[in-house]
Amino acid sequence: MPVISLTVNGNPVTVEVEARSLLSGVLRSNLALTGTHVGCDTSQCGACVVHVDGKPVKSCAMLAVQADGASVTTIEGLAKNGKLHPMQEAFREHHGLQCGFCTPGMLMSAVALAEQNPDLDDAAVRKGLEGNLCRCTGYQNIVHAVLDGAKAMRG
Amino acid sequence: MYDFTYHRPDTLDEAVKIFSDADDPQFMAGGQTIIPVMKQRLAMPSDVIDLGKIGELQGISIVGDTLTIGAMTSHAEVASSADVKKAVPALAQLANDIGDPAVRNRGSIGGSIANNDPAADYPAALVALGATIHTTSREIAAEDFFTGLFETALDEGEIIAKIAIPVPDKAAYMKFPQPASRFALVGVFVAKSGDQVCVAVTGAGPCVFRATDFEKALEKNFSADALDGISISSEELSTDIHASAQYRASLVTTLARRAVENAA
C-alpha cells in the first residue's frame, strides 16, 4: 500500500493508506481527526472542507495519496494555545450554528474566504459559502458570524 | 470505490507510457468528476494516472493575441488570473461561477473539457472563442473537439496539454445555473472579433452547439434587439426534472440577449 507523508495541523505525519482512500477518511480514521465531517460524500455539502496548502478543498473528493507532501489544516488546527480562532469565536458569538454538523466545513471555508477577500460583504459571503450546506440555520447568523469573524481576523 | 494502482508522473511522456502499459487505465486531472464517479463504482479503472504534478500542464500566458491556459490550471486560477481578466474577462467570470470555491480549487479546465459534461461551462466558451485544444499528439479546433454527450475527439491515451484562445474584441457569458449543482441549466457565450460573431450554447442539449441564426443577426447588428423574433428550435434540446426543452429554448434567447448587452 502507498505510504504518504504530509503535514497535518503543523505536525509531520507518515501514514500507510490504500490508493483509493479519501483524504477525509484518512484524517478521520487513520489520524483520529474526527472534526472533519462527512455529510453527503458526493461533493455537495462541504462538511468535509479542509485546507490543502492553504486552499479550501472538499476532502471527500480528494484521494489521500494526492495529499502526499502537502500541508493540511483541519478544524482541529484552527484554535491556537487553547484560544478559539477569531472565526470560531464569531460563530459562537452570533450563534452561527444549531446542530453543528456543517460547522467544521463552514468554518474552514469562511476562514479561507476571509483570508482571500479583505472587503467581504453579505453577498460575497453568501457566494463564498455556496459549497457549504447548512440545514438548520437558514444561514443568516452564519453570514453575520463570517462578516464579524473576518473583521476580527484583520485585527 | 474499488482499489487501483495510483501513479503520479512528472512528465507527459511518462503519463502516456504508464497509460499504454496499464490494463484499464484512467487519467485524473483535478478529480472533481472522476473521484465521485469512482465512488459510485460507475468507473473502476485498474490504474489511476494523476496529472496533477506535471509541470508542462500548468500556467497561463499571453503572447500576442493568444491566451494560453495549461490543461491542469484550476478554475480558481483562471478566475483570479490578471492575464485572463484583462484579455477575456468573460472567461474569468465563467470560471468564477463554476461549482463552489472548494471545487474551483481542484477542478481544472483540461479535466472539464475532457469530460464534456453537457452542462459544463467551458465548452461554450472554447467554441465561441474559437479556441484550439493542444494535445500530446495534435491540435484540435474546439468546434471539432466536443463531439457528443460526454464525448470528445480525444483518442485513447491522448492527453490535453493546453488550450490556446484568440483574444476577442468583446465577449460575455450568461448562465442560468441549476441552483443545486451550479451547472448550466443553459449557458450562452457570445464572442465578437472584428465582423465575426460566435454564439455557443451549453446545457440546453446533449452537447455544446452554435446558434448560427443568432450569429448572422448579430454580425449585421451587434445589439440585443437584433435577436428580436429569433429563437432556436426546442426539438433537439433536453428535457429533465429541472426544465423542459421549450423552457431551455426560451432561456437561450434570453441569455443571448443579456450576453450581447454585457459583452466587454
Side-chain angles (χ1 to χ4, degrees), chain A residues 2 18-22 41-44 49 52-53 55-58 60-63 65-69 109 116 127-132, chain B residues 1-6 8 28-32 35-36 38-39 41 48 50 53 74 77 96-97 99-106 180-182:
Chain A
E18 286 187 287
R20 62 178 168 174
S21 300
L22 298 168
D41 215 15
T42 56
S43 332
Q44 310 286 317
V49 169
V52 174
D53 293 329
K55 293 174 185 164
V57 305
K58 292 184 169 174
C60 85
M62 179 169 174
L63 302 173
V65 283
Q66 291 180 286
D68 189 18
S109 288
Q116 287 159 14
K127 177 165 168 59
L129 295 180
E130 275 181 346
N132 293 82
Chain B
M1 190 185 327
Y2 292 107
D3 209 8
F4 49 80
T5 304
Y6 174 77
R8 192 161 76 177
M28 177 168 72
Q32 298 304 284
I35 291 175
M38 290 193 300
K39 283 163 75 174
R41 298 184 173 178
V48 169
D50 183 355
K53 293 291 172 189
S74 71
E77 288 167 324
N96 195 45
D97 287 334
D100 59 59
V103 168
R104 291 196 288 274
N105 280 330
R106 298 290 307 165
S181 70
R182 297 189 175 78

Short mmCIF file of all heavy atoms in Angstrom, two decimals, chain A residues 2 18-22 41-44 49 52-53 55-58 60-63 65-69 109 116 127-132, chain B residues 1-6 8 28-32 35-36 38-39 41 48 50 53 74 77 96-97 99-106 180-182:
data_model
loop_
_atom_site.label_atom_id
_atom_site.label_comp_id
_atom_site.label_asym_id
_atom_site.label_seq_id
_atom_site.Cartn_x
_atom_site.Cartn_y
_atom_site.Cartn_z
N PRO A 2 0.39 2.33 -0.64
CA PRO A 2 1.19 3.56 -0.67
C PRO A 2 1.41 4.13 0.75
O PRO A 2 0.54 4.01 1.60
CB PRO A 2 0.33 4.53 -1.48
CG PRO A 2 -0.67 3.69 -2.19
CD PRO A 2 -0.85 2.44 -1.39
N GLU A 18 -4.57 3.05 1.52
CA GLU A 18 -4.92 2.44 0.24
C GLU A 18 -4.95 3.54 -0.81
O GLU A 18 -5.27 4.69 -0.50
CB GLU A 18 -6.30 1.78 0.32
CG GLU A 18 -6.34 0.48 1.10
CD GLU A 18 -7.71 -0.18 0.99
OE1 GLU A 18 -8.65 0.34 1.62
OE2 GLU A 18 -7.83 -1.19 0.29
N ALA A 19 -4.66 3.18 -2.05
CA ALA A 19 -4.71 4.18 -3.13
C ALA A 19 -6.09 4.83 -3.18
O ALA A 19 -6.23 6.01 -3.44
CB ALA A 19 -4.38 3.53 -4.46
N ARG A 20 -7.12 4.02 -2.89
CA ARG A 20 -8.49 4.52 -3.01
C ARG A 20 -8.96 5.30 -1.78
O ARG A 20 -10.09 5.80 -1.77
CB ARG A 20 -9.45 3.37 -3.25
CG ARG A 20 -9.47 2.37 -2.11
CD ARG A 20 -10.47 1.28 -2.38
NE ARG A 20 -10.31 0.16 -1.44
CZ ARG A 20 -11.12 -0.87 -1.39
NH1 ARG A 20 -12.16 -0.94 -2.18
NH2 ARG A 20 -10.90 -1.85 -0.54
N SER A 21 -8.14 5.39 -0.74
CA SER A 21 -8.58 6.09 0.47
C SER A 21 -8.78 7.57 0.19
O SER A 21 -7.92 8.23 -0.40
CB SER A 21 -7.53 5.95 1.58
OG SER A 21 -7.33 4.61 1.91
N LEU A 22 -9.89 8.10 0.66
CA LEU A 22 -10.13 9.53 0.52
C LEU A 22 -9.41 10.28 1.62
O LEU A 22 -9.19 9.74 2.72
CB LEU A 22 -11.64 9.81 0.59
CG LEU A 22 -12.45 9.14 -0.52
CD1 LEU A 22 -13.95 9.21 -0.22
CD2 LEU A 22 -12.16 9.80 -1.87
N ASP A 41 -20.92 12.97 1.14
CA ASP A 41 -19.98 12.11 0.42
C ASP A 41 -20.15 12.23 -1.09
O ASP A 41 -19.71 11.36 -1.83
CB ASP A 41 -20.14 10.65 0.88
CG ASP A 41 -18.79 9.91 0.90
OD1 ASP A 41 -17.75 10.58 0.85
OD2 ASP A 41 -18.80 8.67 0.96
N THR A 42 -20.81 13.27 -1.57
CA THR A 42 -20.98 13.46 -3.02
C THR A 42 -20.55 14.87 -3.45
O THR A 42 -21.03 15.40 -4.44
CB THR A 42 -22.44 13.24 -3.45
OG1 THR A 42 -23.27 14.13 -2.69
CG2 THR A 42 -22.89 11.82 -3.23
N SER A 43 -19.66 15.50 -2.70
CA SER A 43 -19.10 16.84 -3.01
C SER A 43 -20.12 17.96 -2.96
O SER A 43 -19.85 19.04 -3.47
CB SER A 43 -18.43 16.89 -4.39
OG SER A 43 -17.93 15.68 -4.80
N GLN A 44 -21.28 17.73 -2.38
CA GLN A 44 -22.29 18.79 -2.37
C GLN A 44 -22.24 19.63 -1.09
O GLN A 44 -22.39 20.84 -1.14
CB GLN A 44 -23.70 18.18 -2.45
CG GLN A 44 -23.91 17.17 -3.55
CD GLN A 44 -24.00 17.82 -4.91
OE1 GLN A 44 -24.67 18.83 -5.06
NE2 GLN A 44 -23.34 17.24 -5.88
N VAL A 49 -14.76 20.14 4.26
CA VAL A 49 -13.75 21.07 3.74
C VAL A 49 -12.58 21.20 4.71
O VAL A 49 -12.76 21.40 5.91
CB VAL A 49 -14.37 22.46 3.46
CG1 VAL A 49 -13.28 23.50 3.18
CG2 VAL A 49 -15.32 22.39 2.27
N VAL A 52 -5.82 22.51 1.99
CA VAL A 52 -4.64 21.80 1.48
C VAL A 52 -3.73 22.86 0.86
O VAL A 52 -4.14 23.55 -0.07
CB VAL A 52 -5.04 20.72 0.45
CG1 VAL A 52 -3.80 20.10 -0.16
CG2 VAL A 52 -5.90 19.65 1.11
N ASP A 53 -2.55 22.99 1.42
CA ASP A 53 -1.63 24.06 1.02
C ASP A 53 -2.35 25.41 1.01
O ASP A 53 -2.23 26.21 0.08
CB ASP A 53 -0.98 23.75 -0.33
CG ASP A 53 -0.05 22.55 -0.23
OD1 ASP A 53 0.55 22.34 0.84
OD2 ASP A 53 0.07 21.81 -1.22
N LYS A 55 -5.47 26.17 0.66
CA LYS A 55 -6.70 26.37 -0.12
C LYS A 55 -7.80 25.42 0.35
O LYS A 55 -7.54 24.23 0.55
CB LYS A 55 -6.44 26.10 -1.61
CG LYS A 55 -5.52 27.12 -2.24
CD LYS A 55 -5.19 26.72 -3.65
CE LYS A 55 -4.18 27.68 -4.26
NZ LYS A 55 -3.57 27.12 -5.47
N PRO A 56 -9.04 25.91 0.47
CA PRO A 56 -10.12 25.02 0.89
C PRO A 56 -10.44 24.01 -0.21
O PRO A 56 -10.55 24.37 -1.38
CB PRO A 56 -11.30 25.97 1.11
CG PRO A 56 -10.99 27.18 0.27
CD PRO A 56 -9.50 27.29 0.23
N VAL A 57 -10.54 22.74 0.17
CA VAL A 57 -10.93 21.69 -0.77
C VAL A 57 -11.90 20.75 -0.05
O VAL A 57 -11.93 20.70 1.19
CB VAL A 57 -9.73 20.87 -1.29
CG1 VAL A 57 -8.68 21.78 -1.90
CG2 VAL A 57 -9.11 20.03 -0.19
N LYS A 58 -12.65 20.01 -0.85
CA LYS A 58 -13.55 19.00 -0.27
C LYS A 58 -12.75 17.72 -0.09
O LYS A 58 -12.37 17.08 -1.08
CB LYS A 58 -14.77 18.84 -1.17
CG LYS A 58 -15.62 20.11 -1.13
CD LYS A 58 -16.90 20.06 -1.89
CE LYS A 58 -17.72 21.31 -1.50
NZ LYS A 58 -18.96 21.47 -2.26
N CYS A 60 -13.54 14.87 0.77
CA CYS A 60 -14.17 13.63 0.31
C CYS A 60 -14.06 13.50 -1.20
O CYS A 60 -14.47 12.50 -1.77
CB CYS A 60 -15.64 13.55 0.73
SG CYS A 60 -16.78 14.39 -0.38
N ALA A 61 -13.51 14.52 -1.87
CA ALA A 61 -13.33 14.47 -3.32
C ALA A 61 -11.85 14.59 -3.66
O ALA A 61 -11.47 15.11 -4.71
CB ALA A 61 -14.14 15.56 -4.02
N MET A 62 -11.01 14.13 -2.76
CA MET A 62 -9.57 14.14 -2.98
C MET A 62 -9.01 12.84 -2.38
O MET A 62 -9.39 12.46 -1.27
CB MET A 62 -8.96 15.36 -2.29
CG MET A 62 -7.47 15.47 -2.44
SD MET A 62 -6.88 17.08 -1.88
CE MET A 62 -5.10 16.81 -2.02
N LEU A 63 -8.14 12.20 -3.13
CA LEU A 63 -7.52 10.98 -2.61
C LEU A 63 -6.45 11.37 -1.60
O LEU A 63 -5.76 12.39 -1.76
CB LEU A 63 -6.87 10.19 -3.75
CG LEU A 63 -7.78 9.74 -4.89
CD1 LEU A 63 -6.95 9.12 -6.02
CD2 LEU A 63 -8.83 8.76 -4.39
N VAL A 65 -3.64 9.95 -1.26
CA VAL A 65 -2.33 9.93 -1.94
C VAL A 65 -2.04 11.25 -2.65
O VAL A 65 -0.88 11.61 -2.86
CB VAL A 65 -2.21 8.77 -2.95
CG1 VAL A 65 -1.96 7.45 -2.25
CG2 VAL A 65 -3.42 8.68 -3.86
N GLN A 66 -3.08 11.98 -3.03
CA GLN A 66 -2.87 13.28 -3.68
C GLN A 66 -2.36 14.31 -2.69
O GLN A 66 -1.85 15.35 -3.09
CB GLN A 66 -4.18 13.78 -4.29
CG GLN A 66 -4.65 12.99 -5.49
CD GLN A 66 -5.94 13.57 -6.04
OE1 GLN A 66 -7.01 13.41 -5.45
NE2 GLN A 66 -5.84 14.27 -7.15
N ALA A 67 -2.51 14.05 -1.41
CA ALA A 67 -2.05 14.99 -0.39
C ALA A 67 -0.62 14.67 0.07
O ALA A 67 -0.12 15.33 0.99
CB ALA A 67 -3.00 14.98 0.80
N ASP A 68 0.00 13.69 -0.58
CA ASP A 68 1.39 13.36 -0.24
C ASP A 68 2.25 14.61 -0.42
O ASP A 68 2.23 15.23 -1.48
CB ASP A 68 1.88 12.23 -1.16
CG ASP A 68 3.23 11.67 -0.72
OD1 ASP A 68 3.63 11.90 0.44
OD2 ASP A 68 3.89 11.02 -1.56
N GLY A 69 2.95 15.00 0.61
CA GLY A 69 3.83 16.18 0.53
C GLY A 69 3.13 17.50 0.82
O GLY A 69 3.76 18.55 0.86
N SER A 109 -14.16 26.98 5.23
CA SER A 109 -14.45 27.80 4.05
C SER A 109 -14.45 29.28 4.41
O SER A 109 -13.92 30.12 3.67
CB SER A 109 -15.82 27.43 3.45
OG SER A 109 -15.75 26.18 2.82
N GLN A 116 -8.78 35.54 1.77
CA GLN A 116 -8.61 35.91 0.36
C GLN A 116 -9.29 37.22 0.00
O GLN A 116 -8.96 37.82 -1.03
CB GLN A 116 -9.15 34.79 -0.55
CG GLN A 116 -8.24 33.57 -0.58
CD GLN A 116 -8.98 32.31 -1.02
OE1 GLN A 116 -10.08 32.39 -1.54
NE2 GLN A 116 -8.37 31.16 -0.80
N LYS A 127 -21.99 34.03 -1.58
CA LYS A 127 -21.40 33.36 -2.74
C LYS A 127 -20.22 32.47 -2.30
O LYS A 127 -20.07 31.36 -2.77
CB LYS A 127 -20.94 34.38 -3.79
CG LYS A 127 -20.25 33.71 -4.99
CD LYS A 127 -20.12 34.62 -6.19
CE LYS A 127 -19.19 34.05 -7.26
NZ LYS A 127 -19.58 32.75 -7.82
N GLY A 128 -19.43 32.98 -1.38
CA GLY A 128 -18.26 32.24 -0.94
C GLY A 128 -18.59 30.96 -0.19
O GLY A 128 -17.78 30.05 -0.12
N LEU A 129 -19.79 30.91 0.36
CA LEU A 129 -20.20 29.71 1.10
C LEU A 129 -21.18 28.84 0.31
O LEU A 129 -21.85 27.98 0.87
CB LEU A 129 -20.83 30.11 2.45
CG LEU A 129 -19.89 30.79 3.44
CD1 LEU A 129 -20.64 31.14 4.73
CD2 LEU A 129 -18.68 29.92 3.77
N GLU A 130 -21.21 29.05 -1.02
CA GLU A 130 -22.14 28.27 -1.85
C GLU A 130 -21.90 26.77 -1.74
O GLU A 130 -22.81 25.98 -1.91
CB GLU A 130 -22.03 28.70 -3.32
CG GLU A 130 -22.88 29.91 -3.65
CD GLU A 130 -22.79 30.33 -5.10
OE1 GLU A 130 -21.88 29.87 -5.81
OE2 GLU A 130 -23.64 31.14 -5.53
N GLY A 131 -20.66 26.38 -1.46
CA GLY A 131 -20.34 24.96 -1.39
C GLY A 131 -20.53 24.35 -0.01
O GLY A 131 -20.11 23.22 0.22
N ASN A 132 -21.13 25.09 0.90
CA ASN A 132 -21.35 24.59 2.26
C ASN A 132 -22.83 24.67 2.60
O ASN A 132 -23.40 25.77 2.66
CB ASN A 132 -20.55 25.43 3.26
CG ASN A 132 -19.07 25.25 3.08
OD1 ASN A 132 -18.46 25.89 2.20
ND2 ASN A 132 -18.46 24.39 3.87
N MET B 1 -15.52 2.70 -3.44
CA MET B 1 -14.61 2.76 -4.59
C MET B 1 -13.73 1.52 -4.61
O MET B 1 -13.22 1.11 -3.57
CB MET B 1 -13.74 4.02 -4.41
CG MET B 1 -12.90 4.36 -5.60
SD MET B 1 -11.76 5.75 -5.37
CE MET B 1 -12.55 6.88 -4.25
N TYR B 2 -13.59 0.92 -5.78
CA TYR B 2 -12.68 -0.22 -5.90
C TYR B 2 -11.25 0.28 -5.88
O TYR B 2 -10.98 1.42 -6.30
CB TYR B 2 -12.95 -0.98 -7.21
CG TYR B 2 -14.29 -1.68 -7.23
CD1 TYR B 2 -15.34 -1.19 -7.99
CD2 TYR B 2 -14.49 -2.83 -6.47
CE1 TYR B 2 -16.57 -1.81 -8.00
CE2 TYR B 2 -15.72 -3.47 -6.48
CZ TYR B 2 -16.76 -2.96 -7.25
OH TYR B 2 -17.98 -3.59 -7.25
N ASP B 3 -10.34 -0.56 -5.41
CA ASP B 3 -8.95 -0.11 -5.35
C ASP B 3 -8.31 -0.13 -6.74
O ASP B 3 -8.83 -0.75 -7.67
CB ASP B 3 -8.15 -0.99 -4.36
CG ASP B 3 -7.00 -0.20 -3.72
OD1 ASP B 3 -6.92 1.02 -3.93
OD2 ASP B 3 -6.19 -0.82 -3.02
N PHE B 4 -7.19 0.56 -6.84
CA PHE B 4 -6.49 0.70 -8.13
C PHE B 4 -5.04 0.99 -7.81
O PHE B 4 -4.68 1.21 -6.64
CB PHE B 4 -7.10 1.86 -8.94
CG PHE B 4 -7.25 3.13 -8.14
CD1 PHE B 4 -6.17 3.98 -7.91
CD2 PHE B 4 -8.48 3.46 -7.56
CE1 PHE B 4 -6.31 5.12 -7.15
CE2 PHE B 4 -8.62 4.61 -6.79
CZ PHE B 4 -7.53 5.44 -6.59
N THR B 5 -4.22 0.97 -8.84
CA THR B 5 -2.83 1.38 -8.67
C THR B 5 -2.73 2.86 -9.01
O THR B 5 -3.24 3.29 -10.05
CB THR B 5 -1.91 0.55 -9.60
OG1 THR B 5 -2.14 -0.83 -9.33
CG2 THR B 5 -0.44 0.89 -9.37
N TYR B 6 -2.12 3.60 -8.13
CA TYR B 6 -2.04 5.06 -8.30
C TYR B 6 -0.67 5.46 -8.87
O TYR B 6 0.36 4.97 -8.42
CB TYR B 6 -2.24 5.72 -6.94
CG TYR B 6 -2.05 7.22 -6.91
CD1 TYR B 6 -3.02 8.09 -7.40
CD2 TYR B 6 -0.88 7.79 -6.37
CE1 TYR B 6 -2.86 9.46 -7.35
CE2 TYR B 6 -0.71 9.17 -6.33
CZ TYR B 6 -1.70 10.00 -6.81
OH TYR B 6 -1.53 11.35 -6.76
N ARG B 8 1.68 8.95 -10.17
CA ARG B 8 1.76 10.41 -10.22
C ARG B 8 3.00 10.81 -11.03
O ARG B 8 4.03 11.15 -10.47
CB ARG B 8 1.80 11.01 -8.82
CG ARG B 8 1.59 12.50 -8.81
CD ARG B 8 1.19 13.02 -7.45
NE ARG B 8 2.31 13.10 -6.53
CZ ARG B 8 2.22 13.59 -5.29
NH1 ARG B 8 1.06 14.05 -4.84
NH2 ARG B 8 3.27 13.62 -4.51
N MET B 28 -6.48 11.19 -14.41
CA MET B 28 -7.21 12.03 -13.46
C MET B 28 -6.60 13.43 -13.47
O MET B 28 -5.40 13.59 -13.28
CB MET B 28 -7.13 11.44 -12.05
CG MET B 28 -7.80 12.32 -11.01
SD MET B 28 -8.03 11.49 -9.42
CE MET B 28 -6.36 11.45 -8.83
N ALA B 29 -7.45 14.43 -13.70
CA ALA B 29 -6.97 15.82 -13.64
C ALA B 29 -7.24 16.31 -12.22
O ALA B 29 -6.60 15.85 -11.28
CB ALA B 29 -7.66 16.63 -14.71
N GLY B 30 -8.20 17.20 -12.03
CA GLY B 30 -8.49 17.68 -10.67
C GLY B 30 -9.28 16.68 -9.84
O GLY B 30 -9.39 16.83 -8.62
N GLY B 31 -9.88 15.72 -10.49
CA GLY B 31 -10.58 14.64 -9.77
C GLY B 31 -11.98 14.99 -9.33
O GLY B 31 -12.64 14.18 -8.66
N GLN B 32 -12.49 16.17 -9.70
CA GLN B 32 -13.80 16.57 -9.15
C GLN B 32 -14.96 15.85 -9.82
O GLN B 32 -16.09 15.88 -9.32
CB GLN B 32 -13.97 18.09 -9.24
CG GLN B 32 -12.91 18.85 -8.43
CD GLN B 32 -12.89 18.42 -6.96
OE1 GLN B 32 -13.75 18.80 -6.18
NE2 GLN B 32 -11.92 17.60 -6.58
N ILE B 35 -13.41 11.25 -9.26
CA ILE B 35 -13.45 10.66 -7.91
C ILE B 35 -14.90 10.34 -7.50
O ILE B 35 -15.18 9.21 -7.10
CB ILE B 35 -12.70 11.55 -6.88
CG1 ILE B 35 -11.19 11.49 -7.19
CG2 ILE B 35 -12.97 11.08 -5.45
CD1 ILE B 35 -10.34 12.40 -6.34
N PRO B 36 -15.84 11.29 -7.63
CA PRO B 36 -17.24 10.92 -7.34
C PRO B 36 -17.73 9.75 -8.21
O PRO B 36 -18.49 8.91 -7.72
CB PRO B 36 -18.02 12.21 -7.64
CG PRO B 36 -17.03 13.30 -7.42
CD PRO B 36 -15.70 12.75 -7.84
N MET B 38 -15.94 7.27 -9.44
CA MET B 38 -15.35 6.03 -8.93
C MET B 38 -16.00 5.64 -7.60
O MET B 38 -16.20 4.46 -7.32
CB MET B 38 -13.83 6.17 -8.77
CG MET B 38 -13.10 6.25 -10.11
SD MET B 38 -11.29 6.05 -9.97
CE MET B 38 -10.84 7.41 -8.91
N LYS B 39 -16.34 6.65 -6.78
CA LYS B 39 -17.00 6.36 -5.51
C LYS B 39 -18.34 5.65 -5.75
O LYS B 39 -18.73 4.78 -4.98
CB LYS B 39 -17.23 7.65 -4.71
CG LYS B 39 -15.96 8.15 -4.04
CD LYS B 39 -16.07 9.60 -3.62
CE LYS B 39 -16.92 9.80 -2.40
NZ LYS B 39 -16.86 11.23 -1.97
N ARG B 41 -18.85 3.71 -8.09
CA ARG B 41 -18.49 2.48 -8.83
C ARG B 41 -18.99 2.50 -10.26
O ARG B 41 -19.25 1.45 -10.85
CB ARG B 41 -18.98 1.24 -8.08
CG ARG B 41 -18.33 1.12 -6.71
CD ARG B 41 -18.74 -0.15 -5.99
NE ARG B 41 -17.97 -0.30 -4.75
CZ ARG B 41 -18.14 -1.30 -3.90
NH1 ARG B 41 -19.03 -2.24 -4.15
NH2 ARG B 41 -17.40 -1.38 -2.82
N VAL B 48 -4.98 4.57 -11.90
CA VAL B 48 -5.33 5.99 -11.99
C VAL B 48 -4.04 6.77 -12.16
O VAL B 48 -3.10 6.62 -11.37
CB VAL B 48 -6.09 6.46 -10.74
CG1 VAL B 48 -6.22 7.98 -10.72
CG2 VAL B 48 -7.47 5.82 -10.70
N ASP B 50 -2.54 10.30 -12.14
CA ASP B 50 -2.79 11.65 -11.65
C ASP B 50 -1.91 12.64 -12.44
O ASP B 50 -0.68 12.54 -12.41
CB ASP B 50 -2.45 11.68 -10.15
CG ASP B 50 -2.73 13.01 -9.49
OD1 ASP B 50 -3.11 13.97 -10.21
OD2 ASP B 50 -2.57 13.10 -8.26
N LYS B 53 0.86 16.67 -11.03
CA LYS B 53 2.22 17.15 -10.77
C LYS B 53 3.04 17.35 -12.05
O LYS B 53 4.27 17.46 -12.00
CB LYS B 53 2.95 16.14 -9.86
CG LYS B 53 2.37 16.06 -8.45
CD LYS B 53 2.61 17.33 -7.65
CE LYS B 53 1.84 17.29 -6.35
NZ LYS B 53 1.85 18.56 -5.63
N SER B 74 -6.36 25.34 -12.53
CA SER B 74 -7.64 25.21 -11.83
C SER B 74 -8.59 26.34 -12.20
O SER B 74 -8.18 27.40 -12.67
CB SER B 74 -7.40 25.21 -10.31
OG SER B 74 -7.03 26.50 -9.89
N GLU B 77 -7.63 29.44 -10.47
CA GLU B 77 -6.52 30.17 -11.08
C GLU B 77 -6.97 30.97 -12.30
O GLU B 77 -6.54 32.10 -12.51
CB GLU B 77 -5.40 29.19 -11.47
CG GLU B 77 -4.65 28.62 -10.27
CD GLU B 77 -3.77 27.42 -10.63
OE1 GLU B 77 -4.15 26.59 -11.49
OE2 GLU B 77 -2.71 27.30 -10.02
N ASN B 96 -15.19 31.70 -12.38
CA ASN B 96 -15.53 32.07 -11.01
C ASN B 96 -16.93 31.60 -10.61
O ASN B 96 -17.28 31.63 -9.43
CB ASN B 96 -15.43 33.59 -10.84
CG ASN B 96 -15.42 34.00 -9.38
OD1 ASN B 96 -14.71 33.40 -8.58
ND2 ASN B 96 -16.21 35.00 -9.03
N ASP B 97 -17.74 31.20 -11.60
CA ASP B 97 -19.09 30.74 -11.30
C ASP B 97 -19.25 29.23 -11.48
O ASP B 97 -20.37 28.72 -11.50
CB ASP B 97 -20.11 31.49 -12.17
CG ASP B 97 -20.27 32.93 -11.70
OD1 ASP B 97 -20.05 33.20 -10.51
OD2 ASP B 97 -20.61 33.80 -12.54
N GLY B 99 -19.25 25.62 -10.04
CA GLY B 99 -19.33 24.91 -8.75
C GLY B 99 -19.27 25.84 -7.56
O GLY B 99 -20.07 26.76 -7.43
N ASP B 100 -18.31 25.58 -6.68
CA ASP B 100 -18.14 26.40 -5.48
C ASP B 100 -16.64 26.57 -5.25
O ASP B 100 -15.83 25.95 -5.94
CB ASP B 100 -18.83 25.73 -4.29
CG ASP B 100 -18.29 24.35 -4.02
OD1 ASP B 100 -17.08 24.22 -3.76
OD2 ASP B 100 -19.06 23.37 -4.06
N PRO B 101 -16.24 27.41 -4.27
CA PRO B 101 -14.80 27.69 -4.13
C PRO B 101 -13.92 26.45 -3.96
O PRO B 101 -12.84 26.37 -4.54
CB PRO B 101 -14.73 28.58 -2.89
CG PRO B 101 -16.06 29.26 -2.83
CD PRO B 101 -17.04 28.24 -3.36
N ALA B 102 -14.38 25.48 -3.17
CA ALA B 102 -13.55 24.29 -2.93
C ALA B 102 -13.39 23.47 -4.20
O ALA B 102 -12.30 22.96 -4.50
CB ALA B 102 -14.16 23.44 -1.81
N VAL B 103 -14.46 23.37 -4.96
CA VAL B 103 -14.39 22.64 -6.24
C VAL B 103 -13.49 23.40 -7.21
O VAL B 103 -12.70 22.79 -7.94
CB VAL B 103 -15.82 22.45 -6.82
CG1 VAL B 103 -15.76 21.99 -8.28
CG2 VAL B 103 -16.60 21.45 -5.98
N ARG B 104 -13.58 24.72 -7.21
CA ARG B 104 -12.76 25.52 -8.13
C ARG B 104 -11.27 25.41 -7.81
O ARG B 104 -10.43 25.63 -8.68
CB ARG B 104 -13.19 27.00 -8.09
CG ARG B 104 -14.55 27.24 -8.68
CD ARG B 104 -14.79 28.71 -8.98
NE ARG B 104 -14.98 29.54 -7.81
CZ ARG B 104 -16.15 29.73 -7.20
NH1 ARG B 104 -17.23 29.12 -7.63
NH2 ARG B 104 -16.25 30.53 -6.15
N ASN B 105 -10.94 25.09 -6.57
CA ASN B 105 -9.52 24.93 -6.22
C ASN B 105 -8.93 23.62 -6.74
O ASN B 105 -7.71 23.50 -6.84
CB ASN B 105 -9.34 24.99 -4.70
CG ASN B 105 -9.34 26.41 -4.19
OD1 ASN B 105 -8.94 27.33 -4.91
ND2 ASN B 105 -9.81 26.61 -2.97
N ARG B 106 -9.76 22.64 -7.04
CA ARG B 106 -9.26 21.34 -7.51
C ARG B 106 -9.57 21.12 -8.99
O ARG B 106 -8.76 20.59 -9.73
CB ARG B 106 -9.88 20.18 -6.71
CG ARG B 106 -9.59 20.16 -5.24
CD ARG B 106 -8.16 19.81 -4.86
NE ARG B 106 -7.66 18.58 -5.44
CZ ARG B 106 -6.37 18.24 -5.47
NH1 ARG B 106 -5.46 19.04 -4.96
NH2 ARG B 106 -5.97 17.13 -6.04
N ALA B 180 -28.83 23.75 -7.41
CA ALA B 180 -28.15 22.81 -6.52
C ALA B 180 -26.73 22.52 -6.99
O ALA B 180 -25.79 22.55 -6.20
CB ALA B 180 -28.94 21.52 -6.40
N SER B 181 -26.56 22.29 -8.26
CA SER B 181 -25.24 21.87 -8.76
C SER B 181 -24.42 23.04 -9.31
O SER B 181 -23.22 22.95 -9.43
CB SER B 181 -25.41 20.85 -9.89
OG SER B 181 -25.94 21.48 -11.04
N ARG B 182 -25.09 24.11 -9.68
CA ARG B 182 -24.48 25.27 -10.35
C ARG B 182 -23.94 24.95 -11.73
O ARG B 182 -23.24 25.74 -12.33
CB ARG B 182 -23.45 25.96 -9.47
CG ARG B 182 -24.14 26.51 -8.23
CD ARG B 182 -23.34 27.38 -7.35
NE ARG B 182 -24.24 27.85 -6.33
CZ ARG B 182 -24.63 27.13 -5.28
NH1 ARG B 182 -24.16 25.94 -5.12
NH2 ARG B 182 -25.49 27.60 -4.43
#
